[in-house]
Amino acid sequence: MKKEHVSHCQFSAWYPLFRSLTIKSVILPLPQNVKDYLLDDGTLVVSGREDPPTCSQSDSGNEAEETQWSDDESTATLTAPEFPEFNTQVQEAINSLGGSVFPKLNWSAPRDAYWIAMNSSLKCKTLSDIFLLFKSSDFITHDFTQPFIHCTDDSPDPCIEYEPNLVQCLYLHDLCLPARATTYLLSIAFKIAP
């Protein structure tokens, strides 16, 4: 396979040609500071959750088991990076697609990271949901760092404009299904060729 072929397989290369035949999607440009954050190996700190997770512990009555936290002022406090303009773009796109999306990067979806999501699926309602999946996915890291690793030609790597692709979710028994799976299931249900 050649690098040119890989470039032509990007979502943004084929989606405009088949827009009328596939599920509604929005392609957004990825700012460099967001890309840097996604590639950072540091601790995952996500901001902007509208519904923060809650945790309740039963009172065991044993105060000796309580965790002791340090009051050391030299301890660094992690703060979540803020991307207000990008967050607004993403939230507007999510709202235009019905309130939840299936996220992808240029080639791949973070399908190896569904287990880390609060809902154990790829269904995202906020930018923080997308960040959690993207930062946890080896497929997304591969898209960023080695998209042409299996190419046979020695030509220089093409310049890649990274673009998150937000695909409208379709539901089948509370599952968020990407376009390919939905098309396949519908073809089976109605006995038509996909």
Side-chain angles (χ1 to χ4, degrees), residues 108-124:
S108 304
R111 60 189 185 275
D112 59 329
Y114 75 91
W115 59 272
I116 201 164
M118 296 296 282
N119 57 7
S120 295
S121 79
L122 298 178
K123 177 181 173 181
C124 296

Side-chain angles (χ1 to χ4, degrees), residues 61-77:
N62 187 355
E63 292 184 23
E65 292 181 23
E66 287 186 25
T67 304
Q68 298 297 317
W69 296 96
S70 171
D71 289 332
D72 184 6
E73 292 182 18
S74 66
T75 305
T77 302

Side-chain angles (χ1 to χ4, degrees), residues 43-181:
T43 304
L44 174 66
V45 179
V46 180
S47 70
R49 284 248 1 133
E50 292 177 11
D51 53 340
T54 58
C55 180
S56 61
Q57 289 182 321
S58 60
D59 186 16
S60 64
N62 187 355
E63 292 184 23
E65 292 181 23
E66 287 186 25
T67 304
Q68 298 297 317
W69 296 96
S70 171
D71 289 332
D72 184 6
E73 292 182 18
S74 66
T75 305
T77 302
L78 295 175
T79 57
E82 298 289 333
F83 309 104
E85 292 174 18
F86 186 63
N87 186 40
T88 301
Q89 286 180 327
V90 169
Q91 202 57 54
E92 286 174 359
I94 291 171
N95 292 340
S96 74
L97 294 171
S100 58
V101 296
F102 173 82
K104 294 175 52 94
L105 200 53
N106 294 38
W107 294 277
S108 304
R111 60 189 185 275
D112 59 329
Y114 75 91
W115 59 272
I116 201 164
M118 296 296 282
N119 57 7
S120 295
S121 79
L122 298 178
K123 177 181 173 181
C124 296
K125 293 183 177 189
T126 64
L127 179 60
S128 60
D129 294 341
I130 295 168
F131 278 168
L132 181 63
L133 291 173
F134 276 17
K135 283 190 70 75
S136 304
S137 173
D138 289 336
F139 293 118
I140 298 300
T141 301
H142 178 272
D143 275 10
F144 277 131
T145 60
Q146 302 175 328
F148 305 107
I149 194 168
H150 298 294
C151 294
T152 56
D153 57 331
D154 292 331
S155 63
D157 287 353
C159 181
I160 301 296
E161 295 295 326
Y162 289 96
E163 305 159 326
N165 310 300
L166 306 179
V167 180
Q168 184 177 32
C169 284
L170 298 180
Y171 300 96
L172 180 67
H173 301 291
D174 293 329
L175 295 174
C176 174
L177 300 172
R180 188 177 339 152

